[in-house]
Amino acid sequence: MNNYQVIQEELKPFHMGSRTASAALLAWFLAVVWRIEPEDIDDAICDGQGDKGIDGMLVDDDLGEITLFQAKHKAASDGRQGDRDLRDLVGASAYFASEASVQGLLGANPNAELRRLLARLDVQAKVAAGAHATHLVFVTDGTLDDQGNAYVNAVTRNDPPLEVWDQPRLATVARRTRKPDLISGRVTLTAVSAPAVVSASSGAPQLAIGVVPASQLVSLPGIGDLSLFARNVRLSEGRTRINRELGATVDDPTEHELFPAYHNGLTMLTHGLTVSGDTMTLEDVTVVNGCQSLLTLYQHQASLTDNLRLLLKVVQVERTGGISDKITYRSNNQNPVDIRDQRSTDVVQRDLQGQVGERYGTAIFFAIREGENASGLRVLDNKTAAQFLMAIYLKEPWNAVRKVRLFDTDYRRIVNRTVTGDKLYLMDLVIRVVDSHRSGLRDELAASFASVRFALAFLLSQLLRQSERGVLFLESPERWLPDKEKEVIEAVDPLMGDV
């Protein structure tokens, strides 16, 4: 698919209700690029006739910052974006210069959505108290033409700055964050009796439930390289107690007949499902629940007999849309899967993993799921990264040890839009420097190093913030990394010694 097609595929789940194509584009951008909570998206959009060049607005009460958005959808892949709409957005920022200018906006007959948004966010009072427009963000699935590029270059030093996301820039994110594809090809499974079939109705997916011999399931494509589980929330967790017990059960043929009675079974997604008698034919497949079990069966397949069968649910899903995400979430939410596992399929995690891979893939691997293969690289898992981001950028080392908050109440605060693959690489560097100084701690601190290390990282970042260059390093580590990593460590290590 070309850039435009990739973007349109990713937008499909956001075309809902009365949203225009431009509003859907902005909704996707706010969710994936700006990383705001899904439930806050509709409240931020005011697209429509009479919007005064403002399609969306966000207010940061803590910083007194107002961000204005405008989105333009193009009907064709070769759509070009000129400078007129850009000028409209820049001009709209004047409405937020003072309390009187906001009143002028309200008196200029804006559409109802913009009027409600201004009232709900209490913009006039906040501007009177000192809030101001600090970001202008223009989003388009077209490509800037010569006039558009010339205008962007002309206003580079404007205040507030104009940030433009056009088709090439959006496509990079869309490709990085799109859900993994199902394994293509046809799979035929024969159940022990005719599967129960629930036909699609009112937009619901078709569903088949049957009992299938394990010997067929271990022959599914993509088990060996784990690609069959690309949409699963986690991969193998290794030799856990549950996996050891499951393996012992598989190795004991006297247990096989009762296996469906005490096993939850597997859940598979497919793009095409046909049931004829006891045969199910699937077009493209993935497993979204039961990864641990299927891997254990695969590893113990020499012990399988015809009596070992599993309950199998097969759900036919569209190639685009949010139903597959909902099935993945809810089928795993019934079992002991923590919130970190559930976040592994989040677009933010996929985006950050892609960023790290593109820029630092020869040095580290950013792991977002249990059991991912690091291929001999240093591994930075997203839980540890979240803890150090909390300590360094949110300046709350005391909350870094509260693991339940990292992927729940504080998730969007931690992985906000300023977090990049470069900052994750910096976290890896900080971890290495902090850990190398463990031996220099007093015994009682060294004994509690698992929690003390976050306080050390916070103090190190506070020392760095004492200089302009240190502040710039924390905010834009890509200016130094990875090219000057050796020099960075030589500069940071003595500061860690001072801490």
Side-chain angles (χ1 to χ4, degrees):
M1 290 189 291
N2 61 34
N3 284 346
Y4 182 81
Q5 291 169 330
V6 170
I7 295 170
Q8 302 315 308
E9 285 295 310
E10 295 302 292
L11 295 187
K12 285 182 178 179
F14 293 86
H15 285 279
M16 58 179 66
S18 60
R19 279 180 184 164
T20 64
S22 293
L25 173 62
L26 182 55
W28 173 80
F29 180 86
L30 291 174
V32 176
V33 179
W34 221 249
R35 300 178 188 171
I36 73 171
E37 293 286 1
E39 59 268 23
D40 295 333
I41 291 174
D42 280 332
D43 288 344
I45 296 177
C46 55
D47 182 37
Q49 293 295 321
D51 60 24
K52 303 301 180 183
I54 303 168
D55 294 336
M57 186 189 315
L58 290 172
V59 177
D60 187 318
D61 291 330
D62 293 331
L63 299 177
E65 294 181 346
I66 300 172
T67 303
L68 306 179
F69 299 89
Q70 187 176 145
K72 294 298 177 182
H73 167 70
K74 301 298 180 182
S77 61
D78 58 354
R80 309 296 288 180
Q81 178 63 55
D83 63 347
R84 188 181 67 178
D85 297 320
L86 302 172
R87 292 176 184 275
D88 288 345
L89 179 59
V90 171
S93 65
Y95 285 122
F96 300 86
S98 66
E99 181 181 8
S101 61
V102 177
Q103 183 60 45
L105 172 59
L106 290 169
N109 196 29
N111 66 24
E113 289 81 5
L114 178 54
R115 185 178 291 277
R116 282 195 292 267
L117 186 57
L118 291 167
R120 183 170 60 249
L121 297 176
D122 200 15
V123 171
Q124 189 169 6
K126 290 174 181 175
V127 169
H132 57 289
T134 54
H135 296 99
L136 302 177
V137 182
F138 189 90
V139 184
T140 178
D141 49 13
T143 302
L144 289 179
D145 63 14
D146 290 342
Q147 290 180 318
N149 278 309
Y151 183 72
V152 171
N153 291 332
V155 298
T156 298
R157 299 185 181 278
N158 270 27
D159 185 24
L162 174 63
E163 183 174 340
V164 177
W165 289 76
D166 67 346
Q167 185 185 113
R169 193 176 183 188
L170 291 178
T172 299
V173 178
R175 291 183 185 278
R176 207 162 48 214
T177 59
R178 66 192 302 263
K179 289 190 292 291
D181 293 327
L182 276 61
I183 291 184
S184 61
R186 178 172 296 179
V187 170
T188 300
L189 298 171
T190 303
V192 298
S193 60
V197 178
V198 180
S199 298
S201 63
S202 302
Q206 180 166 291
L207 168 69
I209 303 174
V211 178
V212 178
S215 57
Q216 294 184 39
L217 297 172
V218 297
S219 298
L220 289 169
I223 298 179
D225 64 4
L226 304 180
S227 57
L228 181 62
F229 313 106
R231 294 196 183 186
N232 207 295
V233 297
R234 62 186 178 190
L235 300 176
S236 174
E237 293 190 299
R239 288 184 54 79
T240 64
R241 176 184 60 82
I242 293 175
N243 286 345
R244 291 197 303 271
E245 291 178 354
L246 180 59
T249 299
V250 175
D251 290 336
D252 184 354
T254 65
E255 296 271 14
H256 289 188
E257 285 191 358
L258 283 176
F259 199 82
Y262 44 67
H263 187 271
N264 291 336
L266 307 182
T267 302
M268 295 178 62
L269 304 182
T270 182
H271 289 147
L273 171 62
T274 303
V275 179
S276 177
D278 57 3
T279 300
M280 294 181 286
T281 303
L282 288 61
E283 298 292 341
D284 309 335
V285 292
T286 190
V287 170
V288 296
N289 186 255
C291 169
Q292 304 290 315
S293 300
L294 189 50
L295 285 173
T296 300
L297 291 169
Y298 183 78
Q299 293 158 2
H300 293 255
Q301 54 187 299
S303 300
L304 300 182
T305 67
D306 292 339
N307 290 329
L308 204 164
R309 305 152 176 169
L310 279 79
L311 180 67
L312 174 66
K313 291 187 295 182
V314 181
V315 187
Q316 178 178 303
V317 297
E318 299 292 335
R319 295 182 182 273
T320 58
I323 188 65
S324 62
D325 290 337
K326 185 179 292 185
I327 293 168
T328 302
Y329 175 82
R330 292 186 176 174
S331 62
N332 285 282
N333 203 33
Q334 302 164 30
N335 300 312
V337 177
D338 63 27
I339 188 64
R340 182 225 172 180
D341 293 323
Q342 296 289 4
R343 292 291 192 184
S344 67
T345 58
D346 186 66
V347 292
V348 174
Q349 296 296 317
R350 291 202 298 267
D351 185 27
L352 290 173
Q353 188 178 60
Q355 288 186 42
V356 173
E358 289 171 4
R359 186 163 165 82
Y360 305 100
T362 60
I364 69 169
F365 178 75
F366 182 56
I368 63 177
R369 297 187 294 174
E370 291 288 347
E372 285 188 308
N373 186 0
S375 303
L377 302 175
R378 293 196 312 274
V379 176
L380 173 66
D381 67 79
N382 58 351
K383 180 181 69 177
T384 303
Q387 290 178 297
F388 278 87
L389 289 169
M390 170 73 84
I392 291 174
Y393 288 101
L394 297 187
K395 305 176 186 178
E396 298 175 11
W398 53 88
N399 278 330
V401 298
R402 302 178 67 180
K403 297 178 183 179
V404 70
R405 297 187 56 161
L406 301 177
F407 294 91
D408 193 359
T409 55
D410 290 319
Y411 179 65
R412 297 284 172 173
R413 292 179 63 220
I414 294 170
V415 291
N416 60 56
R417 63 183 176 82
T418 68
V419 174
T420 62
D422 300 299
K423 286 186 177 178
L424 292 178
Y425 191 76
L426 173 57
M427 294 304 95
D428 175 73
L429 185 148
V430 169
I431 290 168
R432 284 182 281 145
V433 171
V434 169
D435 289 357
S436 70
H437 282 265
R438 179 175 183 172
S439 60
L441 293 169
R442 298 195 307 272
D443 290 343
E444 66 271 24
L445 294 178
S448 302
F449 190 69
S451 55
V452 168
R453 65 204 297 239
F454 305 123
L456 298 178
F458 163 72
L459 292 171
L460 174 62
S461 69
Q462 291 297 85
L463 274 184
L464 289 168
R465 289 186 176 98
Q466 300 307 304
S467 70
E468 290 185 8
R469 182 166 292 187
V471 171
L472 184 60
F473 173 61
L474 289 174
E475 294 307 317
S476 302
E478 64 275 12
R479 297 194 177 199
W480 287 268
L481 300 175
D483 297 340
K484 296 185 179 297
E485 179 173 329
K486 180 180 178 182
E487 292 90 335
V488 166
I489 292 176
E490 289 175 350
V492 171
D493 193 71
L495 296 179
M496 191 69 251
D498 292 339
V499 171

